[in-house]
Coordinates of all heavy atoms in Angstrom, one line a residue:
M1 N 0.8 -1.2 0.0 CA 0.0 0.0 0.0 C 0.9 1.2 0.0 O 1.7 1.4 0.8 CB -0.9 0.0 1.3 CG -1.8 1.2 1.3 SD -3.0 1.0 2.5 CE -2.4 2.1 3.8
R2 N 0.7 2.1 -0.9 CA 1.4 3.3 -1.1 C 0.7 4.4 -0.3 O -0.5 4.7 -0.6 CB 1.7 3.7 -2.5 CG 2.6 4.9 -2.6 CD 3.4 4.8 -3.9 NE 4.4 5.9 -3.8 CZ 4.6 6.7 -4.8 NH1 4.0 6.6 -5.9 NH2 5.5 7.6 -4.6
V3 N 1.3 5.3 0.5 CA 0.7 6.3 1.2 C 1.1 7.7 0.6 O 2.4 7.9 0.4 CB 1.1 6.2 2.7 CG1 0.5 7.4 3.4 CG2 0.7 4.9 3.4
K4 N 0.2 8.5 0.3 CA 0.5 9.9 -0.1 C 0.5 10.8 1.1 O -0.3 10.8 2.0 CB -0.6 10.4 -1.1 CG -0.2 11.7 -1.6 CD -1.3 12.3 -2.4 CE -1.1 13.7 -3.0 NZ -0.5 14.7 -2.2
L5 N 1.6 11.5 1.2 CA 1.8 12.5 2.2 C 1.1 13.8 1.9 O 1.2 14.2 0.8 CB 3.3 12.7 2.6 CG 4.1 11.5 3.0 CD1 5.5 11.9 3.2 CD2 3.6 10.9 4.3
V6 N 0.5 14.4 2.9 CA -0.1 15.7 2.7 C 0.7 16.7 3.5 O 0.7 16.6 4.7 CB -1.6 15.7 3.1 CG1 -2.2 17.1 3.0 CG2 -2.4 14.8 2.3
N7 N 1.3 17.6 2.9 CA 2.1 18.7 3.7 C 1.2 19.8 4.1 O 0.0 19.9 3.8 CB 3.3 19.1 2.9 CG 3.0 19.9 1.7 OD1 1.9 20.6 1.6 ND2 3.8 19.9 0.6
K8 N 1.7 20.7 4.9 CA 0.9 21.9 5.4 C 0.3 22.7 4.3 O -0.9 23.0 4.5 CB 1.8 22.7 6.3 CG 1.1 23.7 7.0 CD 2.0 24.5 8.0 CE 1.3 25.6 8.7 NZ 2.2 26.4 9.6
N9 N 1.0 22.9 3.3 CA 0.4 23.8 2.2 C -0.7 23.1 1.5 O -1.7 23.7 1.2 CB 1.5 24.1 1.2 CG 2.5 25.1 1.7 OD1 2.1 25.9 2.5 ND2 3.7 25.1 1.2
E10 N -0.7 21.8 1.3 CA -1.7 21.0 0.7 C -2.9 20.9 1.7 O -4.1 21.0 1.3 CB -1.3 19.6 0.4 CG -0.3 19.6 -0.8 CD 0.3 18.2 -1.0 OE1 0.5 17.4 0.0 OE2 0.8 18.0 -2.1
L11 N -2.6 20.9 3.0 CA -3.7 20.8 4.0 C -4.5 22.2 4.0 O -5.7 22.3 4.0 CB -3.1 20.6 5.4 CG -4.2 20.6 6.6 CD1 -5.2 19.6 6.4 CD2 -3.5 20.5 7.9
I12 N -3.7 23.2 3.9 CA -4.3 24.6 3.8 C -5.1 24.7 2.6 O -6.2 25.3 2.6 CB -3.2 25.7 3.8 CG1 -2.6 25.7 5.3 CG2 -3.7 27.1 3.5 CD1 -1.3 26.6 5.4
A13 N -4.7 24.3 1.4 CA -5.4 24.3 0.2 C -6.8 23.5 0.3 O -7.8 24.0 -0.2 CB -4.6 23.8 -1.0
K14 N -6.7 22.4 0.9 CA -7.9 21.5 1.1 C -8.9 22.2 2.1 O -10.2 22.3 1.9 CB -7.6 20.2 1.6 CG -7.0 19.4 0.6 CD -6.7 17.9 1.0 CE -6.0 17.1 -0.1 NZ -6.0 15.7 0.2
V15 N -8.4 22.9 3.1 CA -9.3 23.6 4.1 C -9.9 24.7 3.4 O -11.1 25.0 3.5 CB -8.5 24.1 5.3 CG1 -9.3 25.1 6.1 CG2 -8.1 22.9 6.1
A16 N -9.1 25.5 2.6 CA -9.7 26.6 1.9 C -10.8 26.2 0.9 O -11.8 26.8 0.8 CB -8.5 27.3 1.1
E17 N -10.5 25.1 0.2 CA -11.5 24.6 -0.8 C -12.8 24.1 -0.2 O -13.8 24.4 -0.7 CB -10.8 23.4 -1.6 CG -11.6 22.7 -2.6 CD -11.0 21.6 -3.3 OE1 -9.7 21.7 -3.5 OE2 -11.6 20.6 -3.5
T18 N -12.6 23.3 0.9 CA -13.8 22.7 1.5 C -14.7 23.7 2.3 O -15.8 23.4 2.6 CB -13.5 21.5 2.4 OG1 -12.5 21.9 3.4 CG2 -12.9 20.4 1.5
S19 N -14.0 24.8 2.8 CA -14.7 25.7 3.6 C -15.1 27.0 2.9 O -15.5 27.9 3.6 CB -13.9 26.0 4.9 OG -12.8 26.7 4.5
S20 N -14.7 27.1 1.6 CA -15.0 28.4 0.9 C -14.3 29.6 1.5 O -14.7 30.7 1.4 CB -16.5 28.6 0.8 OG -17.2 27.6 0.1
M21 N -13.1 29.3 2.1 CA -12.3 30.4 2.6 C -11.2 30.7 1.6 O -10.9 30.0 0.8 CB -11.5 29.9 3.9 CG -12.4 29.6 5.1 SD -11.4 28.8 6.4 CE -11.2 30.2 7.5
T22 N -10.6 31.9 1.8 CA -9.4 32.3 1.0 C -8.2 31.4 1.5 O -8.3 31.0 2.7 CB -9.1 33.7 1.1 OG1 -8.7 34.1 2.4 CG2 -10.3 34.6 0.6
K23 N -7.2 31.3 0.7 CA -6.0 30.6 1.2 C -5.4 31.3 2.4 O -4.9 30.7 3.3 CB -5.0 30.4 0.1 CG -5.2 29.2 -0.7 CD -4.0 28.8 -1.5 CE -4.2 27.5 -2.2 NZ -3.0 27.2 -3.0
A24 N -5.5 32.6 2.4 CA -4.9 33.4 3.5 C -5.7 33.1 4.8 O -5.1 33.0 5.9 CB -4.9 34.9 3.2
D25 N -7.0 33.1 4.7 CA -7.8 32.9 5.9 C -7.6 31.4 6.4 O -7.5 31.2 7.6 CB -9.3 33.1 5.6 CG -9.6 34.6 5.5 OD1 -8.8 35.4 6.0 OD2 -10.7 34.9 5.0
A26 N -7.5 30.5 5.4 CA -7.3 29.1 5.8 C -5.9 28.9 6.4 O -5.8 28.1 7.4 CB -7.3 28.2 4.6
T27 N -4.9 29.6 6.0 CA -3.5 29.6 6.5 C -3.7 30.1 8.0 O -3.1 29.4 8.9 CB -2.6 30.4 5.8 OG1 -2.5 30.0 4.5 CG2 -1.2 30.4 6.4
K28 N -4.4 31.2 8.3 CA -4.5 31.7 9.6 C -5.2 30.7 10.5 O -4.8 30.5 11.6 CB -5.2 33.0 9.6 CG -4.6 34.2 9.0 CD -5.4 35.4 9.0 CE -4.8 36.6 8.3 NZ -5.7 37.7 8.2
A29 N -6.2 30.0 10.0 CA -7.0 29.1 10.7 C -6.2 27.9 11.1 O -6.2 27.4 12.2 CB -8.3 28.6 10.0
V30 N -5.5 27.3 10.1 CA -4.7 26.1 10.4 C -3.6 26.4 11.4 O -3.3 25.7 12.3 CB -4.1 25.5 9.0 CG1 -3.0 24.5 9.4 CG2 -5.2 24.9 8.2
D31 N -2.8 27.6 11.1 CA -1.8 28.0 12.1 C -2.3 28.3 13.4 O -1.7 27.9 14.5 CB -1.1 29.3 11.6 CG -0.2 29.0 10.4 OD1 0.2 27.9 10.1 OD2 0.1 30.0 9.6
S32 N -3.5 28.8 13.6 CA -4.1 29.0 14.8 C -4.4 27.8 15.6 O -4.1 27.7 16.8 CB -5.4 29.9 14.7 OG -6.0 30.1 15.9
V33 N -4.9 26.8 15.0 CA -5.2 25.5 15.5 C -3.9 24.9 16.0 O -3.8 24.4 17.2 CB -6.0 24.6 14.6 CG1 -6.1 23.2 15.1 CG2 -7.4 25.1 14.3
L34 N -2.9 24.8 15.1 CA -1.7 24.2 15.5 C -1.0 24.9 16.7 O -0.5 24.2 17.6 CB -0.7 24.1 14.3 CG -1.2 23.2 13.2 CD1 -0.3 23.3 12.0 CD2 -1.5 21.8 13.6
D35 N -1.0 26.2 16.7 CA -0.4 27.0 17.8 C -1.2 26.8 19.1 O -0.5 26.7 20.1 CB -0.4 28.5 17.4 CG 0.6 28.9 16.3 OD1 1.5 28.0 16.0 OD2 0.5 30.0 15.8
T36 N -2.5 26.7 19.0 CA -3.2 26.5 20.2 C -3.0 25.1 20.8 O -2.8 25.0 22.1 CB -4.8 26.7 19.9 OG1 -5.0 27.9 19.4 CG2 -5.6 26.4 21.1
I37 N -2.9 24.1 20.0 CA -2.6 22.8 20.5 C -1.2 22.8 21.1 O -1.0 22.2 22.3 CB -2.6 21.7 19.3 CG1 -4.1 21.6 18.9 CG2 -2.0 20.4 19.7 CD1 -4.3 20.7 17.6
S38 N -0.2 23.4 20.4 CA 1.1 23.4 21.0 C 1.2 24.2 22.3 O 1.9 23.7 23.3 CB 2.1 24.1 20.0 OG 2.2 23.3 18.8
T39 N 0.5 25.3 22.4 CA 0.6 26.1 23.6 C -0.1 25.3 24.7 O 0.4 25.3 25.9 CB -0.1 27.4 23.4 OG1 0.5 28.1 22.3 CG2 -0.1 28.3 24.6
S40 N -1.2 24.7 24.4 CA -1.9 23.9 25.5 C -1.0 22.8 26.0 O -1.0 22.6 27.2 CB -3.3 23.4 24.9 OG -4.1 24.4 24.6
L41 N -0.4 22.0 25.1 CA 0.5 21.0 25.6 C 1.6 21.4 26.4 O 2.0 20.9 27.4 CB 1.0 20.2 24.4 CG -0.1 19.4 23.6 CD1 0.6 18.7 22.3 CD2 -0.8 18.4 24.5
K42 N 2.2 22.6 25.9 CA 3.3 23.2 26.7 C 2.9 23.6 28.1 O 3.8 23.5 29.0 CB 3.8 24.4 25.9 CG 5.1 25.0 26.5 CD 5.6 26.2 25.7 CE 6.0 25.9 24.3 NZ 6.6 27.1 23.7
S43 N 1.7 24.0 28.3 CA 1.2 24.4 29.6 C 0.7 23.3 30.4 O 0.1 23.4 31.5 CB 0.3 25.6 29.5 OG -1.0 25.1 28.9
G44 N 0.8 22.0 29.9 CA 0.4 20.9 30.7 C -1.1 20.4 30.4 O -1.5 19.5 31.2
E45 N -1.7 21.0 29.5 CA -3.1 20.7 29.2 C -3.2 19.6 28.2 O -2.4 19.5 27.4 CB -3.9 21.9 28.8 CG -3.9 23.0 29.8 CD -4.5 24.3 29.2 OE1 -4.4 24.5 28.0 OE2 -5.0 25.1 30.0
E46 N -4.4 18.9 28.3 CA -4.7 17.9 27.2 C -5.6 18.6 26.2 O -6.4 19.4 26.6 CB -5.5 16.7 27.8 CG -4.6 15.5 27.9 CD -5.5 14.2 28.4 OE1 -6.7 14.3 28.3 OE2 -4.8 13.3 28.9
V47 N -5.5 18.2 25.0 CA -6.5 18.7 24.0 C -7.2 17.6 23.4 O -6.7 16.7 22.8 CB -5.7 19.5 22.8 CG1 -6.7 19.9 21.8 CG2 -4.9 20.6 23.3
R48 N -8.6 17.6 23.7 CA -9.4 16.5 23.3 C -10.4 17.0 22.2 O -11.1 18.0 22.4 CB -10.4 16.0 24.4 CG -9.5 15.2 25.4 CD -10.4 14.7 26.5 NE -9.6 14.0 27.5 CZ -9.9 13.4 28.5 NH1 -11.3 13.3 28.7 NH2 -9.1 12.9 29.4
L49 N -10.4 16.4 21.0 CA -11.3 16.7 19.9 C -12.1 15.5 19.7 O -11.7 14.5 19.2 CB -10.4 17.0 18.7 CG -9.3 18.1 18.8 CD1 -8.5 18.2 17.5 CD2 -10.0 19.4 19.1
A50 N -13.4 15.7 20.2 CA -14.4 14.6 20.2 C -14.5 14.0 18.8 O -14.6 14.6 17.8 CB -15.8 15.1 20.6
G51 N -14.4 12.6 18.7 CA -14.5 11.9 17.5 C -13.2 11.9 16.7 O -13.1 11.2 15.7
F52 N -12.2 12.7 17.1 CA -10.9 12.7 16.4 C -9.8 12.1 17.1 O -9.1 11.2 16.7 CB -10.6 14.2 16.0 CG -9.4 14.3 15.1 CD1 -9.5 14.0 13.7 CD2 -8.2 14.8 15.6 CE1 -8.3 14.1 13.0 CE2 -7.0 14.9 14.8 CZ -7.1 14.5 13.5
G53 N -9.5 12.7 18.3 CA -8.5 12.1 19.2 C -8.0 13.1 20.2 O -8.6 14.1 20.5
T54 N -7.1 12.7 21.0 CA -6.6 13.4 22.2 C -5.1 13.7 22.0 O -4.3 12.7 21.8 CB -6.9 12.6 23.5 OG1 -8.3 12.4 23.6 CG2 -6.4 13.5 24.7
F55 N -4.6 14.9 22.2 CA -3.2 15.3 22.2 C -2.9 15.4 23.7 O -3.6 16.1 24.5 CB -3.0 16.6 21.6 CG -3.2 16.6 20.1 CD1 -4.5 16.9 19.5 CD2 -2.3 16.3 19.1 CE1 -4.7 16.9 18.2 CE2 -2.5 16.3 17.8 CZ -3.7 16.5 17.4
A56 N -1.8 14.8 24.2 CA -1.4 14.8 25.6 C 0.2 14.8 25.6 O 0.8 14.5 24.6 CB -1.9 13.7 26.4
V57 N 0.7 15.2 26.8 CA 2.1 15.1 27.0 C 2.4 14.0 28.1 O 1.7 14.0 29.1 CB 2.7 16.4 27.5 CG1 4.1 16.3 27.9 CG2 2.4 17.5 26.4
T58 N 3.3 13.1 27.8 CA 3.8 12.2 28.9 C 5.2 12.5 29.2 O 6.0 12.9 28.4 CB 3.6 10.7 28.3 OG1 4.4 10.6 27.2 CG2 2.1 10.4 28.0
H59 N 5.6 12.1 30.4 CA 6.9 12.3 30.9 C 7.7 11.0 30.7 O 7.3 10.0 31.1 CB 6.9 12.7 32.3 CG 8.3 13.1 32.9 ND1 9.0 14.2 32.4 CD2 9.2 12.4 33.7 CE1 10.2 14.2 33.1 NE2 10.3 13.1 33.8
R60 N 8.9 11.2 30.1 CA 9.8 10.0 29.9 C 10.9 10.1 30.9 O 11.6 11.2 30.9 CB 10.3 10.0 28.5 CG 11.3 8.7 28.2 CD 11.7 8.7 26.8 NE 10.6 8.3 26.0 CZ 10.6 8.3 24.6 NH1 11.7 8.8 24.0 NH2 9.6 7.9 24.0
K61 N 11.1 9.2 31.8 CA 12.1 9.2 32.8 C 13.5 9.2 32.2 O 13.7 8.6 31.1 CB 12.0 8.0 33.7 CG 10.8 8.1 34.6 CD 10.7 6.9 35.5 CE 9.4 6.9 36.2 NZ 9.2 5.7 37.1
A62 N 14.5 9.7 32.9 CA 15.9 9.5 32.4 C 16.3 8.1 32.5 O 15.9 7.3 33.4 CB 16.8 10.3 33.4
T63 N 17.1 7.6 31.6 CA 17.5 6.3 31.5 C 19.0 6.1 31.1 O 19.6 7.2 30.7 CB 16.7 5.4 30.4 OG1 16.9 6.0 29.2 CG2 15.3 5.4 30.8
T64 N 19.5 5.0 31.1 CA 20.9 4.7 30.7 C 20.8 3.9 29.4 O 20.1 2.8 29.4 CB 21.7 3.9 31.7 OG1 21.7 4.7 32.9 CG2 23.1 3.8 31.2
G65 N 21.4 4.3 28.4 CA 21.4 3.6 27.1 C 22.8 3.2 26.7 O 23.7 3.4 27.5
R66 N 23.0 2.6 25.5 CA 24.3 2.2 25.0 C 24.5 2.8 23.6 O 23.6 2.8 22.8 CB 24.4 0.8 24.9 CG 24.5 0.2 26.3 CD 25.0 -1.4 26.1 NE 25.1 -2.0 27.4 CZ 26.2 -1.9 28.2 NH1 27.2 -1.2 27.9 NH2 26.1 -2.6 29.3
N67 N 25.7 3.3 23.3 CA 26.1 3.7 22.1 C 26.2 2.5 21.2 O 26.9 1.7 21.5 CB 27.4 4.6 22.1 CG 27.8 5.0 20.7 OD1 27.5 4.4 19.8 ND2 28.5 6.2 20.8
P68 N 25.4 2.4 20.1 CA 25.5 1.1 19.3 C 26.9 0.9 18.7 O 27.2 -0.3 18.4 CB 24.4 1.3 18.3 CG 24.0 2.7 18.3 CD 24.5 3.3 19.6
R69 N 27.6 1.9 18.4 CA 28.9 1.7 17.8 C 30.0 1.3 18.7 O 30.7 0.4 18.5 CB 29.4 3.0 17.1 CG 28.6 3.3 15.9 CD 29.3 4.5 15.1 NE 28.6 4.7 13.9 CZ 28.6 5.9 13.3 NH1 29.4 6.8 13.7 NH2 28.0 6.0 12.2
T70 N 30.0 1.9 19.9 CA 31.1 1.6 20.9 C 30.7 0.8 22.0 O 31.5 0.2 22.7 CB 31.6 2.9 21.5 OG1 30.6 3.6 22.2 CG2 32.2 3.9 20.4
G71 N 29.4 0.6 22.3 CA 28.9 -0.1 23.4 C 29.0 0.7 24.7 O 28.6 0.2 25.8
E72 N 29.5 1.9 24.7 CA 29.7 2.7 25.8 C 28.3 3.2 26.4 O 27.4 3.5 25.6 CB 30.5 4.0 25.4 CG 30.7 5.0 26.5 CD 31.3 6.3 26.0 OE1 31.8 6.3 24.8 OE2 31.5 7.2 26.7
K73 N 28.2 3.2 27.7 CA 26.9 3.6 28.4 C 26.8 5.1 28.2 O 27.8 5.8 28.3 CB 26.9 3.2 29.8 CG 26.8 1.8 30.2 CD 26.7 1.5 31.6 CE 26.5 0.0 31.8 NZ 26.3 -0.2 33.3
I74 N 25.6 5.6 27.9 CA 25.3 7.0 27.9 C 24.0 7.3 28.6 O 23.2 6.4 28.9 CB 25.1 7.5 26.4 CG1 24.0 6.6 25.7 CG2 26.4 7.4 25.6 CD1 23.7 7.2 24.3
K75 N 24.0 8.5 29.2 CA 22.8 8.9 29.9 C 21.8 9.6 28.9 O 22.2 10.4 28.2 CB 23.2 9.9 31.0 CG 23.9 9.3 32.2 CD 24.3 10.3 33.2 CE 25.1 9.6 34.3 NZ 25.4 10.6 35.4
I76 N 20.6 9.2 29.0 CA 19.5 9.7 28.2 C 18.6 10.6 29.1 O 18.1 10.0 30.1 CB 18.7 8.6 27.5 CG1 19.6 7.8 26.6 CG2 17.5 9.3 26.7 CD1 18.9 6.6 26.0
A77 N 18.6 11.9 28.9 CA 17.9 12.8 29.8 C 16.4 12.5 29.8 O 15.8 12.1 28.8 CB 18.2 14.2 29.4
A78 N 15.8 12.9 30.9 CA 14.3 12.9 31.0 C 13.8 13.9 30.0 O 14.4 15.0 29.8 CB 13.9 13.2 32.4
S79 N 12.6 13.7 29.5 CA 12.0 14.6 28.6 C 10.5 14.4 28.6 O 9.9 13.4 29.0 CB 12.5 14.4 27.2 OG 12.2 13.1 26.7
N80 N 9.8 15.4 28.1 CA 8.3 15.4 27.9 C 8.1 15.0 26.4 O 8.7 15.6 25.5 CB 7.6 16.7 28.2 CG 7.8 17.0 29.7 OD1 7.6 16.0 30.5 ND2 8.0 18.2 30.0
Q81 N 7.2 14.1 26.2 CA 6.9 13.6 24.9 C 5.4 13.9 24.4 O 4.6 13.4 25.2 CB 7.2 12.1 24.7 CG 8.6 11.7 25.0 CD 9.5 12.2 24.0 OE1 9.4 12.1 22.8 NE2 10.6 12.8 24.5
P82 N 5.2 14.6 23.3 CA 3.8 14.7 22.9 C 3.3 13.4 22.4 O 4.0 12.7 21.7 CB 3.9 15.8 21.8 CG 5.3 15.7 21.3 CD 6.1 15.2 22.4
K83 N 2.1 13.1 22.7 CA 1.4 11.8 22.2 C 0.0 12.2 21.6 O -0.6 13.1 22.0 CB 1.2 10.9 23.4 CG 2.5 10.5 24.1 CD 3.2 9.5 23.4 CE 4.5 9.1 24.2 NZ 5.2 8.0 23.6
F84 N -0.4 11.3 20.7 CA -1.7 11.4 20.2 C -2.4 10.1 20.3 O -1.9 9.1 19.9 CB -1.6 11.9 18.7 CG -3.0 12.0 18.0 CD1 -3.8 13.0 18.3 CD2 -3.4 11.0 17.2 CE1 -5.1 13.1 17.7 CE2 -4.7 11.1 16.5 CZ -5.5 12.1 16.8
R85 N -3.6 10.1 20.9 CA -4.4 8.9 20.9 C -5.7 9.1 20.0 O -6.4 10.0 20.1 CB -4.9 8.7 22.3 CG -3.9 8.2 23.3 CD -4.4 7.9 24.7 NE -5.2 8.8 25.3 CZ -4.8 9.8 26.2 NH1 -3.5 9.8 26.5 NH2 -5.7 10.7 26.7
V86 N -5.8 8.2 19.1 CA -6.8 8.3 18.1 C -8.2 8.0 18.7 O -8.4 7.1 19.5 CB -6.6 7.1 17.0 CG1 -7.7 7.2 15.9 CG2 -5.2 7.3 16.3
G87 N -9.2 8.9 18.2 CA -10.6 8.7 18.7 C -11.3 7.7 17.8 O -10.9 7.4 16.7
K88 N -12.4 7.3 18.4 CA -13.2 6.3 17.7 C -13.7 6.8 16.3 O -13.7 6.0 15.4 CB -14.5 5.9 18.5 CG -15.3 4.8 17.9 CD -16.4 4.4 18.8 CE -17.3 3.4 18.3 NZ -17.2 2.9 17.0
G89 N -14.1 8.0 16.2 CA -14.6 8.5 14.9 C -13.6 8.5 13.8 O -13.8 8.1 12.7
L90 N -12.3 8.8 14.2 CA -11.2 8.8 13.2 C -10.8 7.5 12.9 O -10.6 7.1 11.7 CB -10.0 9.6 13.7 CG -8.8 9.6 12.8 CD1 -9.0 10.3 11.5 CD2 -7.6 10.4 13.6
K91 N -10.8 6.5 13.9 CA -10.4 5.1 13.7 C -11.5 4.5 12.8 O -11.1 3.7 11.7 CB -10.4 4.4 14.9 CG -9.9 3.0 14.8 CD -10.0 2.2 16.2 CE -8.8 2.6 17.0 NZ -8.7 1.8 18.2
D92 N -12.8 4.8 12.9 CA -13.8 4.2 12.1 C -13.7 4.8 10.6 O -14.0 4.1 9.7 CB -15.2 4.5 12.7 CG -15.4 3.7 13.9 OD1 -14.7 2.7 14.3 OD2 -16.4 4.1 14.7
A93 N -13.4 6.0 10.5 CA -13.3 6.7 9.2 C -12.2 6.0 8.3 O -12.3 6.0 7.2 CB -13.1 8.2 9.3
V94 N -11.1 5.7 9.0 CA -10.0 5.1 8.3 C -10.2 3.6 7.9 O -9.7 3.2 7.0 CB -8.7 5.3 9.2 CG1 -7.4 4.5 8.6 CG2 -8.3 6.7 9.4
N95 N -11.0 2.9 8.8 CA -11.1 1.5 8.5 C -12.4 1.1 7.7 O -13.3 1.6 7.4 CB -11.2 0.7 9.9 CG -9.9 0.7 10.5 OD1 -8.9 0.4 9.8 ND2 -9.8 0.9 11.8

């Protein structure tokens, strides 16, 4: 199965087409949605879009790993990881 990737410009063009917006207005709308999700996650909030999915942040603890070339132990710092859980509506639409 070959998957076609949709980049941000193509997404903006589709939003403009399906909503009868100008490309400039669609760009503002898409950027606003993405910025709002990013800002919410950064402040520790979850973003739930009913029927689509949930954006959340999980904390990954610091661990010790190995350099695959040398076998030397390395420290992997703790970090926050953005996650996306698919909602039932999106899962059903894809299947």
